[in-house]
Amino acid sequence: MDLLLKTLHANKKAQLGLGLVAGVVFGFLLHKGGATKYDVIIGQLLLRDFTVVKIMLSAVVVGMVGIHAMKSLGWVRFHPKVGSVGMSLLGGLVFGVGFAVLGYCPGTIAGAAGNGYLDALIGGIAGIMIGAGLFAALFPRFKRILVLGRFGDITFPKLFKANHWFVVVPVAALIVLLLAWLESSGL
């Protein structure tokens, strides 16, 4: 396995191809789950349909357990990015405004555009391009906001000074309980 991973790490084209395949599979699963449909997303924003929350929480549990299992096996190493309260607030604001105005998040825009929804293709893809360009142009003005409340590359296991499984297992269990409650409540 180590030889395969070292070979993959040295081959940028293979990494891009693998990333493309993973993105297509992710988009397919979003579509099959209904998360690329405008009505489902608006239903989530209005707290009438929790399909999107269920999909995302399921993905969080699978991804969290999977990536930490790969870490335990020595297949991956984490490189957490430095974060700050300012980054989180600004990113959440931009994401939330875009989500509320169009009814899609960036992942579901790609899935919906691939499904042929013109609102996602025209409004969403154009919005991503314009928004990315505006952010790049205004980035120097945001620098002071982005460093506010800087908390470094801390993770919950680092914060609690515990083995990562002491955080992953309880969080995964809580999410599974929440999913079971949502499902039993008919939400």
Side-chain angles (χ1 to χ4, degrees):
M1 184 57 85
D2 283 346
L3 180 61
L4 176 68
L5 292 175
K6 284 180 182 174
T7 304
L8 183 61
H9 286 156
N11 188 339
K12 297 293 180 197
K13 288 182 180 177
Q15 289 179 22
L16 285 174
L18 196 57
L20 178 63
V21 169
V24 169
V25 169
F26 182 69
F28 175 79
L29 293 173
L30 280 178
H31 174 70
K32 291 304 285 181
T36 59
K37 295 177 183 164
Y38 179 80
D39 293 338
V40 172
I41 294 171
I42 290 300
Q44 180 60 67
L45 293 175
L46 296 173
L47 304 177
R48 294 182 185 151
D49 180 349
F50 284 78
T51 301
V52 175
V53 166
K54 291 182 216 174
I55 290 170
M56 293 304 163
L57 289 178
S58 300
V60 166
V61 169
V62 171
M64 181 173 55
V65 171
I67 197 75
H68 282 278
M70 289 193 290
K71 181 182 177 191
S72 291
L73 293 169
W75 296 358
V76 296
R77 281 178 285 166
F78 292 169
H79 304 281
K81 302 292 182 204
V82 173
S84 73
V85 173
M87 288 178 189
S88 300
L89 289 176
L90 186 60
L93 178 67
V94 171
F95 182 88
V97 167
F99 202 0
V101 168
L102 187 61
Y104 293 109
C105 72
T108 57
I109 285 173
N115 200 34
Y117 298 145
L118 290 179
D119 58 339
L121 187 63
I122 296 170
I125 300 297
I128 286 174
M129 298 297 178
I130 292 169
L134 281 173
F135 185 80
L138 297 173
F139 183 76
R141 293 180 186 204
F142 292 143
K143 279 186 176 178
R144 292 176 61 189
I145 296 171
L146 297 175
V147 297
L148 289 175
R150 199 174 191 139
F151 48 76
D153 65 350
I154 194 79
T155 61
F156 281 117
K158 276 186 187 176
L159 181 67
F160 299 132
K161 296 179 180 160
N163 180 295
H164 55 108
W165 289 112
F166 285 106
V167 175
V168 170
V169 171
V171 171
L174 285 174
I175 291 173
V176 168
L177 288 173
L178 177 61
L179 286 167
W181 177 76
L182 286 172
E183 197 63 25
S184 67
S185 300
L187 296 173

